[in-house]
Amino acid sequence: QVQLVESGGGLVQPGESLRLSCTASGRTFSRATMAWFRQAPGKEREFVSASWRDTGYTYYSDSVKDRFTISRDKAKNTVFLQMNSLKSEDTGVYYCATDPTLILSSMRDARQYDYWGQGTQVTVSS
């Protein structure tokens, strides 16, 4: 089993920044894709960003592209999400996820991930 623990959420004003972290422990998949999803109240969980396997390729949803940056520290089994220019619509619970069997075409589908963190709340409000 692999355990994922997120941290770094909080309450910020529009335009501010936050950096989320997700650390994997247990049976870690150092070459697996690491992704971030978020879920706002009453809405489905949606894809935010992913670091595809150990290729260095990164992917973003259109709503966060150019504002968010995903990165990973393989030595520490940690993935980060730097979120800049935050907007009220970025509010939600942010989850990291991983799955060693994921294929590229399924990267944005939350149902394809078997391993999830507990989530961290991000609230953007003035």
Side-chain angles (χ1 to χ4, degrees), residues 38-110:
R38 68 186 180 189
Q39 190 166 19
K43 295 187 177 181
E44 292 187 355
R45 195 168 297 189
E46 66 171 352
F47 173 82
V48 174
S49 180
S51 174
W52 180 252
R53 297 185 178 173
D54 60 351
T55 64
Y57 287 108
T58 57
Y59 299 85
Y60 301 92
S61 67
D62 288 342
S63 61
V64 307
K65 192 175 182 181
D66 299 326
R67 298 189 296 123
F68 291 11
T69 302
I70 190 171
S71 60
R72 60 197 296 175
D73 184 334
K74 296 178 183 178
K76 297 182 179 180
N77 292 318
T78 299
V79 62
F80 304 97
L81 186 67
Q82 177 66 43
M83 306 187 295
N84 298 329
S85 303
L86 283 161
K87 305 176 181 180
S88 58
E89 51 263 44
D90 295 318
T91 294
V93 179
Y94 283 69
Y95 300 90
C96 70
T98 188
D99 194 291
T101 66
L102 196 70
I103 60 175
L104 186 60
S105 60
S106 299
M107 179 184 58
R108 299 171 186 262
D109 185 352

